[in-house]
């Protein structure tokens, strides 16, 4: 009798996506998917920093 005492995989700590609560994907830690990671990044950036984009807020009052 041979007992294969191999560990199937590295036991990752139970982590859930902070946004949707789904199991975290190691590739997108600490999020479950790129969607959530992207979403959070967007929130984070828009909340803390200003992203330099070509889209400038059209100031309608300036056209007057
Ligand atoms: Zn998620």
């Amino acid at each position: 009798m041979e007992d294969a005492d191999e560990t199937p995989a590295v036991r990752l700590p139970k982590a859930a996506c902070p946004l949707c609560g789904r199991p975290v994907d190691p590739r997108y830690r600490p999020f479950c998917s790129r969607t959530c990671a992207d979403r959070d990044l967007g929130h984070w950036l828009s909340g803390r920093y200003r992203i330099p984009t070509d889209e400038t807020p059209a100031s309608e009052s300036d056209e007057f």
Side-chain angles (χ1 to χ4, degrees), residues 9 23-24 31-32 42 49 52:
V24 168
F31 305 102
C32 68
Y49 297 97

Side-chain angles (χ1 to χ4, degrees), residues 17-22 31-33 36:
C17 177
L19 290 185
C20 67
R22 282 183 184 179
F31 305 102
C32 68
S33 60
C36 279

Side-chain angles (χ1 to χ4, degrees), residues 11-47:
R11 276 208 174 182
L12 294 170
K14 265 197 180 180
C17 177
L19 290 185
C20 67
R22 282 183 184 179
V24 168
D25 190 313
R27 276 188 287 182
Y28 302 109
R29 279 167 69 191
F31 305 102
C32 68
S33 60
R34 195 190 163 188
T35 312
C36 279
D38 224 48
R39 201 197 301 175
D40 188 78
L41 188 70
H43 278 251
W44 189 78
L45 286 174
S46 62

